[in-house]
Amino acid sequence: EIFVPGEAAVKVWQRLKGEPEVRLAALGARDALRLEAGLCLYGHDLDEDITPSEAGLTWVVGKSRREVAAKNPFVGAERILSQINDKTLVKKLRAGLLPTAGPPAREGAAIETTDGQRVGTVTSGTMSPVLRKNIAMGYIEKPFNKKDTRLQVVVRGRAFPATVSKMPFVPTKYYKA
């Protein structure tokens, strides 16, 4: 993604489209890349009801804010800090899924045990261009969120086998300070 001042947009576009190595990529490409990297998209994988503990993002809560009597309390602190301090309060966790058959499992698809018990919901799913297979992420109840657990995803009324996977699906080379 490129952000430029409005008055420069046409000039930048004309310059870029004239370069042979530049290829356009739409929202679908960005979405596939972020899912391969195991990154969340707000409104899909994150919302007001998902806590950092459930999403595997407790690192976003600074150590100085983790004290109950913190100087600068934040919205939802009671629930979030309780989950950070007592992991048994977390009932579902974000996890990766590798469906082994069928179409991509999209947002809203049910995640079930192999005997049909619903244990979660897919929040993002696509075909991975790098892995050349379907990938998905979603929230899965404990203990069914464990790596290599065999589950199934329901797509268009049909159940397809899937295995819980660690994320990222594709290794990243992010700089971590």
Side-chain angles (χ1 to χ4, degrees):
E1 294 180 350
I2 299 173
F3 295 92
V4 297
E7 62 274 5
V10 172
K11 190 173 184 177
V12 169
W13 163 246
Q14 289 171 340
R15 176 84 190 264
L16 286 172
K17 77 176 188 174
E19 298 295 325
E21 64 273 1
V22 172
R23 292 187 180 162
L24 300 180
L27 195 56
R30 192 252 2 229
D31 199 47
L33 290 172
R34 73 122 188 123
L35 186 51
E36 287 176 335
L39 300 175
C40 298
L41 180 62
Y42 189 80
H44 300 270
D45 312 300
L46 296 173
D47 61 29
E48 307 83 32
D49 298 320
I50 300 295
T51 65
S53 292
E54 293 167 334
L57 300 172
T58 54
W59 60 269
V60 302
V61 182
K63 294 198 191 270
S64 65
R65 311 223 40 210
R66 291 184 183 208
E67 299 169 20
V68 177
K71 188 175 179 180
N72 298 309
F74 55 92
V75 175
E78 185 176 333
R79 179 176 175 207
I80 291 168
L81 296 177
S82 294
Q83 286 183 338
I84 289 172
N85 294 320
D86 182 358
K87 308 240 183 299
T88 64
L89 297 175
V90 179
K91 303 301 181 198
K92 62 182 178 181
L93 290 166
R94 185 172 59 95
L97 284 167
L98 294 172
T100 56
R106 305 289 187 183
E107 179 179 5
I111 302 169
E112 299 178 340
T113 61
T114 54
D115 62 355
Q117 175 190 344
R118 186 172 182 144
V119 293
T121 304
V122 171
T123 55
S124 289
T126 193
M127 196 285 290
S128 165
V130 171
L131 300 176
R132 299 190 186 284
K133 60 184 175 182
N134 293 335
I135 59 174
M137 83 166 69
Y139 286 89
I140 305 172
E141 294 173 12
K142 290 176 169 182
F144 304 102
N145 65 306
K146 301 286 184 215
K147 183 180 181 288
D148 295 326
T149 301
R150 289 197 164 100
L151 297 171
Q152 57 191 25
V153 290
V154 180
V155 180
R156 295 184 211 117
R158 289 187 55 205
F160 297 95
T163 303
V164 177
S165 169
K166 287 191 172 209
M167 294 186 286
F169 296 101
V170 176
T172 60
K173 295 179 182 171
Y174 297 133
Y175 171 76
K176 294 180 182 174

